[in-house]
Amino acid sequence: MTIQDPAQRVEELRAQIAYHNQLYHQQDQPEISDAEYDELVRELKQLELDHPDLVSPDSPTQQVGFTPSDLFTPVQHLTPMMSLDNATSFEELAAWGKRMERYIDNNVEYACELKMDGLALSLVYENGKLVRAATRGDGRVGEDITLNVMQIKAVPHTLKTSEKLVEARGEIYMPVSSFKAINEEQLEKGERIFANPRNAAAGSLRQKDPQITASRNLAFFSYQLAAGPNDFSKHQQTLDFLKEQGLPVNPTSKVLNSLEEVYEFCQYWQNNRHSNDYEIDGVVVKVNDLAQRQELGFTSKAPRWAVAFKFPPEERNTLLKDIMVSIGRSGKATPFAVLEPVFVGGSTVRLATLHNQDQVNLKDVRPGDTVIVRKAGDVIPEVVGPVLSKRPEGLPAWEFPKHCPECNADLVRSEGESDTFCTSAECPKQLEQRIVHFASRGCMDIENMGERTVQLFLQLELLKDIGGIYTLDYDKIRAIEGFGEISVTNLKNGIETSKQRPLSNLLSGLGIRHLGATGARVLAKGMNHLDNILKASAEEIAAVEGIGTVIANSVYEFFQQEENRELMARLRQAGVNFEGPKASTLPQNLVGMSVVVTGTLENFSREGAEEAIKERGGKSPGSVSKKTNAVVLGEGPGAAKITKARELKIPILNEAQFQQLLETGEIPEVPLTGDAEGAVVG
Ligand code: IVH
């Protein structure tokens, strides 16, 4: 590592921070992730601490936010809109808490709130009427965006009180669902997509034309009464007042009495950060008592009585080493990013899909670019976009290859389609992927026959097609290095067991175009036997309830092809089950009921429990909604489902109560936990 002159590094950091501030605040087009930005600020702060002579009043560490743009009229805030100090670890949070407890002799009450990832907004009401809405700006002077904010339904134009002056501050945000919908629309129109909900909110708000703001679904939560009646002694009372006035206040806020409970709150929300329809990037912890706040006061930038506990980042920058194309079982050629491995959102990301040509073009990511990678919770990692300031000069745009990387046949994209396909019927990769799919979970579920094994068998010519699975030469397999007797027996058992899979699994495994797992289940139930499907016309298949003409035609055509008929003959010969599910003899006591299962139970796998519900005429979808009648809770449940169930006050059943439900068709009486008690679990 080279040792740099601190003065020079400080200058460098200030210039970089100023540049990124400008992109973030003025153009709503950040190039680096928040975590990387915070890292720059941290380094600068540390240098300034170590070298106090280098501190200057124009350093970004001494300022809040940004200089207002000239798009809107500047407005002076009644009192400065400050920022918050961050704690990025429990140690830092503890240090802050200990400081509070040292300064304040009495017990400290902590008001804990979610840190909304949106834009700070000030709303000024005079005699109960909204007269001005402004962005934070540089903290002292913001931008007047009253006309735009008037378009947001969540912001009331009048309050109940006719108090001379009320100022409510809070956060404007875009719900995640709206963000996704807008990006889909943008994609369809071939327009720029937003990197995250906050940028989408900023882009929607800072518009000259209020109609654009009106067309975007923006929402608001108020978290601070900055001016108004001053007969309150606690922050919580001010929130109650804001709520009474018709301003939305986040319902998850809690007043807690010890630092332990504060950690628990932070931990809970860190683990469940995606369980709401809005993005949060931390928890704000505030001293609840207003007199104590007075005593604590402010630094030049932030109040001493509050701290923002920031969650670990879900976005990071890394090098895009290459863009390659993978070939799927249908021949679809999918571009994917090969990344310099980066630890983000709890795991190391090396590869990320880029979906199709249009997505690559729209994001304009090029091999050699530094890119923003996002991995949020369980969601698959995504390349958000390039960091243009880091693009090497003359870096060429990526071009979709013209030939299949596996068989060299032409890659073709038909007019009006977004996907590109390998045109060869003999492409070895397609064959490999068809076999892998056939053997995969949810299809024939052949244990011990994953992608690596299939590749090996194809390479050694022990396997040539799907039918060959059932006529494998085990003597030859035994001779392969690394294949002991146990592996062979396991494989044999796996293949043998697969012959008994339900018809719907077989239909799924064949990879018939348009026929997904649900369609396969409906078709198997409707036709009862594969022979009935083989005999049927396209019209007869379409007559099955729940099967449309597109699926019906595709199924019909699939089974008309000679090679597929031959394959069926070989599977029949091997003794693969062709029979559909028999009509259920169980009482249909769950008809019209929707029961979600999460985690594993003692006597049922999750799939088994779902099957038991379906066999009795009920539905068992994968997520909780208003339509859910009950949630069954096993070991290792999904946090989002429980949170949602609690929020919606849906009964949560244990295994015994679930058994009772199956037998009686009635939901047993269980105590309901609303969000008041449900927000924090141990
Ligand atoms: S309190 C004097 N509460 O975080 C401090 N801020 O870095 C007033 N934010 O500018 C802020 N959720 O935009 C507060 N529940 C919350 C918040 C919150 C999000 C934002 C706000 C502020 C920034 C501080």
Side-chain angles (χ1 to χ4, degrees):
M1 204 176 83
T2 49
I3 298 178
Q4 204 179 6
D5 170 22
Q8 196 186 344
R9 180 66 185 150
V10 162
E11 279 316 308
E12 230 174 64
L13 286 167
R14 285 180 187 158
Q16 282 179 16
I17 292 168
Y19 171 77
H20 292 299
N21 273 345
Q22 206 264 346
L23 285 178
Y24 181 101
H25 292 294
Q26 312 268 37
Q27 301 182 22
D28 304 322
Q29 285 248 48
E31 282 183 355
I32 58 173
S33 62
D34 283 6
E36 262 124 357
Y37 176 85
D38 289 348
E39 205 37 62
L40 296 176
V41 175
R42 247 168 202 268
E43 190 187 340
L44 179 58
K45 270 190 183 165
Q46 193 57 50
L47 278 170
E48 289 179 347
L49 266 180
D50 297 344
H51 307 274
D53 52 311
L54 294 178
V55 179
S56 83
D58 62 351
S59 172
T61 58
Q62 307 300 307
Q63 294 163 6
V64 178
F66 65 104
T67 317
S69 79
D70 47 17
L71 205 58
F72 299 97
T73 318
V75 275
Q76 174 118 25
H77 293 301
L78 301 171
T79 53
M81 283 181 85
M82 298 198 125
S83 129
L84 291 172
D85 279 335
N86 290 339
T88 51
S89 65
F90 280 105
E91 287 73 37
E92 287 180 13
L93 180 61
W96 174 83
K98 295 268 153 41
R99 253 193 335 270
M100 294 305 105
E101 298 189 346
R102 229 180 303 121
Y103 280 124
I104 301 167
D105 291 337
N106 302 319
N107 285 344
V108 186
E109 280 180 356
Y110 299 99
C112 298
E113 296 166 6
L114 300 187
K115 186 170 184 319
M116 305 296 304
D117 197 4
L119 292 93
L121 182 72
S122 146
L123 298 171
V124 176
Y125 292 87
E126 281 172 11
N127 308 312
K129 299 259 171 312
L130 177 63
V131 293
R132 205 192 67 203
T135 64
R136 183 168 74 171
D138 65 6
R140 217 173 35 81
V141 177
E143 299 160 316
D144 189 331
I145 52 166
T146 313
L147 292 178
N148 292 9
V149 170
M150 292 267 194
Q151 302 294 337
I152 300 170
K153 286 195 204 80
V155 174
H157 292 192
T158 51
L159 299 181
K160 296 218 173 74
T161 172
S162 49
E163 186 86 21
K164 197 162 179 321
L165 175 72
V166 171
E167 183 186 1
R169 291 179 183 171
E171 201 87 349
I172 286 278
Y173 65 93
M174 183 179 282
V176 178
S177 52
S178 313
F179 161 73
K180 287 188 181 150
I182 285 195
N183 265 359
E184 261 165 42
E185 252 174 55
Q186 297 284 102
L187 204 62
E188 253 165 47
K189 288 191 282 187
E191 284 176 21
R192 178 172 82 94
I193 51 176
F194 295 105
N196 53 46
R198 191 197 49 230
N199 292 135
S204 306
L205 195 58
R206 298 176 69 250
Q207 290 279 349
K208 250 320 190 202
D209 177 5
Q211 282 319 310
I212 299 185
T213 311
S215 72
R216 307 274 169 86
N217 184 22
L218 294 176
F220 178 71
F221 274 133
S222 182
Y223 49 66
Q224 191 187 8
L225 179 66
N230 53 12
D231 48 355
F232 302 116
S233 60
K234 306 274 177 172
H235 173 69
Q236 187 57 48
Q237 294 167 344
T238 65
L239 293 184
D240 292 342
F241 169 78
L242 291 166
K243 203 163 137 192
E244 277 160 28
Q245 294 308 315
L247 284 151
V249 173
N250 192 314
T252 60
S253 306
K254 273 186 178 250
V255 175
L256 300 170
N257 293 308
S258 70
L259 279 175
E260 282 66 38
E261 287 170 287
V262 172
Y263 301 151
E264 213 180 315
F265 185 92
C266 292
Q267 191 75 63
Y268 175 81
W269 282 109
Q270 183 166 314
N271 294 339
N272 294 279
R273 61 189 289 184
H274 298 291
S275 61
N276 296 314
D277 192 21
Y278 47 79
E279 292 223 318
I280 55 175
D281 57 350
V283 167
V284 183
V285 188
K286 304 170 178 175
V287 170
N288 192 33
D289 189 289
L290 301 180
Q292 291 175 352
R293 283 190 184 185
Q294 282 266 307
E295 273 176 49
L296 287 157
F298 297 84
T299 65
S300 66
K301 226 186 142 182
R304 288 203 188 84
W305 43 261
V307 72
F309 173 77
K310 296 268 275 203
F311 298 150
E314 294 190 316
E315 280 184 10
R316 285 254 171 218
N317 290 358
T318 194
L319 179 70
L320 174 61
K321 294 202 289 195
D322 202 357
I323 298 178
M324 293 172 80
V325 163
S326 71
I327 303 295
R329 62 187 154 89
S330 62
K332 190 161 114 182
T334 307
F336 65 96
V338 182
L339 302 160
E340 184 67 43
V342 59
F343 191 79
V344 55
S347 64
T348 301
V349 177
R350 295 182 166 81
L351 304 172
T353 180
L354 291 165
H355 304 287
N356 57 41
Q357 186 170 20
D358 290 346
Q359 289 249 1
V360 181
N361 291 351
L362 213 62
K363 288 183 175 167
D364 186 23
V365 283
R366 310 175 181 191
D369 263 334
T370 297
V371 292
I372 303 172
V373 174
R374 181 175 167 81
K375 163 118 193 331
D378 302 337
V379 179
I380 49 171
E382 181 199 10
V383 174
V384 177
V387 180
L388 289 176
S389 64
K390 292 199 179 160
R391 174 170 286 172
E393 213 171 305
L395 191 70
W398 181 75
E399 278 184 40
F400 210 99
K402 301 211 167 16
H403 301 287
C404 173
E406 305 288 344
C407 71
N408 212 31
D410 289 348
L411 289 181
V412 170
R413 178 178 173 181
S414 310
E415 190 115 354
E417 295 260 341
S418 51
D419 292 323
T420 306
F421 287 88
C422 164
T423 46
S424 167
E426 266 91 54
C427 177
K429 196 71 182 176
Q430 291 182 43
L431 173 66
E432 172 198 301
Q433 290 300 308
R434 278 200 294 274
I435 300 175
V436 170
H437 173 73
F438 183 83
S440 69
R441 272 188 78 185
C443 298
M444 296 306 263
D445 199 0
I446 307 182
E447 260 179 72
N448 308 303
M449 196 148 165
E451 186 159 319
R452 294 276 284 277
T453 310
V454 172
Q455 281 169 354
L456 183 68
F457 289 179
L458 281 168
Q459 200 188 341
L460 297 175
E461 296 187 2
L462 292 171
L463 190 59
K464 291 199 172 69
D465 52 20
I466 289 176
I469 294 175
Y470 294 102
T471 52
L472 279 172
D473 184 338
Y474 292 105
D475 287 334
K476 286 194 178 147
I477 294 174
R478 252 178 228 109
I480 305 173
E481 214 185 285
F483 260 87
E485 199 49 49
I486 298 179
S487 326
V488 174
T489 310
N490 285 345
L491 179 66
K492 226 173 166 174
N493 288 344
I495 291 174
E496 210 45 45
T497 318
S498 79
K499 292 182 186 169
Q500 300 312 318
R501 300 273 177 247
L503 174 60
S504 57
N505 291 43
L506 172 62
L507 290 170
S508 286
L510 294 174
I512 302 171
R513 207 159 174 225
H514 304 300
L515 186 74
T518 314
R521 201 189 295 255
V522 173
L523 186 62
K525 212 167 179 175
M527 295 298 246
N528 289 323
H529 201 286
L530 186 67
D531 283 339
N532 294 336
I533 304 177
L534 290 173
K535 281 192 299 223
S537 65
E539 290 71 28
E540 282 164 335
I541 299 173
V544 173
E545 205 182 314
I547 300 289
T549 47
V550 175
I551 296 182
N553 287 337
S554 176
V555 171
Y556 175 76
E557 273 161 32
F558 181 89
F559 288 116
Q560 286 312 299
Q561 285 176 25
E562 194 46 42
E563 60 192 274
N564 292 333
R565 290 208 161 241
E566 257 169 46
L567 173 60
M568 293 313 116
R570 286 167 68 199
L571 295 179
R572 187 194 305 273
Q573 178 78 28
V576 170
N577 170 49
F578 280 8
E579 243 178 277
K582 304 243 175 340
S584 178
T585 53
L586 291 163
Q588 298 296 292
N589 53 7
L590 299 184
V591 172
M593 229 185 252
S594 170
V595 182
V596 174
V597 183
T598 175
T600 8
L601 302 163
E602 211 159 285
N603 296 309
F604 298 88
S605 63
R606 189 169 62 82
E607 290 79 11
E610 287 173 354
E611 204 46 49
I613 296 161
K614 288 178 196 160
E615 280 171 359
R616 288 163 177 80
K619 284 192 181 151
S620 188
S623 59
V624 177
S625 74
K626 273 186 269 177
K627 292 184 196 148
T628 309
N629 299 91
V631 173
V632 179
L633 183 68
E635 282 285 315
K641 290 183 192 161
I642 307 173
T643 312
K644 196 81 193 267
R646 287 200 166 122
E647 239 171 63
L648 297 171
K649 302 213 166 88
I650 294 168
I652 299 177
L653 310 183
N654 62 24
E655 181 152 4
Q657 291 159 337
F658 174 52
Q659 285 283 11
Q660 203 180 327
L661 168 68
L662 292 179
E663 278 157 32
T664 63
E666 308 263 329
I667 295 169
E669 289 274 322
V670 288
L672 295 180
T673 37
D675 51 9
E677 307 100 88
V680 176
V681 292

